[in-house]
Amino acid sequence: MARIWYRTFRDFFSVRRLWLFPLAAGGAWFLTLTILMIRWLAVGRPRYPGQANPYVPFISDIAAQTFKPVFVVGCAATGLAFFGTVFAVHHVRYSPRFYGLADDAPWRQSTSLVALVAGLAAAVSLVFLSIFDTDDAHVRHRHLLMGTFGGLFVSAVTTTAVWWDQIWGPTVFAGLRKWCLFNTFLVLCQFGCGVAFVTLMYDGYYRASGILEWCLTYLGSFWLMSFVGFTMFREGYEPRIEEVERQPLLG
C-alpha cells in the first residue's frame, strides 16, 4: 500500500510552478466577488426580483440579474484552479522532488485521494451553479449550491487532516508550520462563519446573515491563496526537515 499517491500521479510537470494554482483560484474568486459587489453598489443597491434577503442580496441574486457572464467566467476559472489547488497541495507532500513523503501513512494518502475527488465535485458544482442561476432554475441552483459547499467542506477537512502532523508533530519542514496554522485558522473561521450565517438566516436576521455570506466567501479566497505557502518551492535549497534537538533523559 506504500506510495499510493505517487504510483497514481507522477511528476509529469514542474512542481516548482504548482503554487500558481492556489494563487489563480483565490485571485479569480476574489476578483469575481469584488466586481459583483462594486456593480451592486454602483447602481444604487437595488432589490432584485425574488431576492430572499431584503437588505443584503446574496451573491447568486446579483449574479442572476447583472453581470452573469462575469460570474460564469469567474466560477469556471475558480473551479478549474481550485481542482488544481487540491491536487497541488497534496502532490507536493508525496513528490520526491518536493517534500518527498512518498512512503507516508497509507491512510493519509487515501485521504488525499478523497480530498481530490471532493475537490473535483466542488469545482464541477460551482461551474454549473453559475450557469443555472436562482432566477431561471431555483431548485437546481440550490442543489448545486449544496454540492459546492459539501465538496468544499470535505476537501477542507480532509486536507487539514492530512497536513495536521506538520502542525503538532515533533519535526516540521522549514517554513511550513506557519502556513499550516494560518490555513487551519481560516478553515475554522469559515466553519464558524458558515454556522452563524445559516443560524441567523433561519432566525430571520437577514441583514447580519447577508453580511456573513459575503464574509464567508471572501474568507474562501484567502483560504485558497494560503495554499501558496504549501506549494511555493523555496528557491536556493531543497525542502528540508528541521532537526529537533534531542535532550538526554538523564543529565
Side-chain angles (χ1 to χ4, degrees):
M1 292 292 289
R3 296 176 176 261
I4 298 172
W5 180 278
Y6 198 65
R7 285 206 315 269
T8 307
F9 305 105
R10 296 284 182 172
D11 286 325
F12 53 88
F13 45 75
S14 174
V15 294
R16 293 170 180 251
R17 298 292 177 262
L18 290 177
W19 60 271
L20 292 171
F21 282 114
L23 182 64
W29 187 234
F30 184 90
L31 184 61
T32 301
L33 295 175
T34 303
I35 291 175
L36 293 177
M37 173 62 76
I38 292 176
R39 168 65 179 176
W40 178 67
L41 293 173
V43 297
R45 297 184 294 178
R47 182 175 179 180
Y48 299 108
Q51 179 179 318
N53 190 326
Y55 302 105
V56 182
F58 295 134
I59 297 167
S60 299
D61 292 327
I62 301 177
Q65 301 297 326
T66 58
F67 275 29
K68 181 173 179 178
V70 172
F71 189 57
V72 173
V73 171
C75 286
T78 303
L80 181 62
F82 173 69
F83 178 67
T85 297
V86 178
F87 173 80
V89 78
H90 289 275
H91 187 70
V92 295
R93 181 181 179 93
Y94 308 115
S95 171
R97 295 168 58 191
F98 213 100
Y99 295 117
L101 300 176
D103 294 316
D104 204 359
W107 74 264
R108 283 200 182 92
Q109 300 189 53
S110 299
T111 303
S112 292
L113 293 174
V114 172
L116 188 64
V117 172
L120 177 62
V124 172
S125 296
L126 180 63
V127 173
F128 283 104
L129 169 76
S130 65
I131 298 172
F132 299 102
D133 57 52
T134 56
D135 195 28
D136 298 326
H138 181 73
V139 175
R140 187 174 299 176
H141 179 88
R142 186 169 67 247
H143 291 163
L144 289 168
L145 182 63
M146 293 172 61
T148 301
F149 279 116
L152 286 171
F153 177 78
V154 173
S155 182
V157 170
T158 51
T159 300
T160 301
V162 166
W163 287 97
W164 189 256
D165 63 324
Q166 300 303 318
I167 297 177
W168 299 112
T171 60
V172 296
F173 288 94
L176 179 61
R177 171 169 285 184
K178 63 179 180 291
W179 289 105
C180 292
L181 286 169
F182 181 54
N183 184 271
T184 302
F185 171 72
L186 290 176
V187 170
L188 293 175
C189 287
Q190 289 178 92
F191 179 76
C193 194
V195 171
F197 160 66
V198 173
T199 302
L200 290 173
M201 182 178 65
Y202 282 101
D203 284 347
Y205 296 96
Y206 292 111
R207 188 186 300 275
S209 65
I211 294 173
L212 279 174
E213 192 218 18
W214 283 91
C215 292
L216 175 62
T217 51
Y218 268 111
L219 277 173
S221 66
F222 293 113
W223 172 66
L224 289 170
M225 285 188 280
S226 71
F227 285 118
V228 171
F230 290 66
T231 55
M232 175 71 77
F233 194 89
R234 277 71 174 178
E235 296 292 344
Y237 62 87
E238 295 296 318
R240 60 181 176 84
I241 296 179
E242 295 175 348
E243 296 293 336
V244 176
E245 184 179 358
R246 297 185 178 182
Q247 299 292 344
L249 294 178
L250 298 177

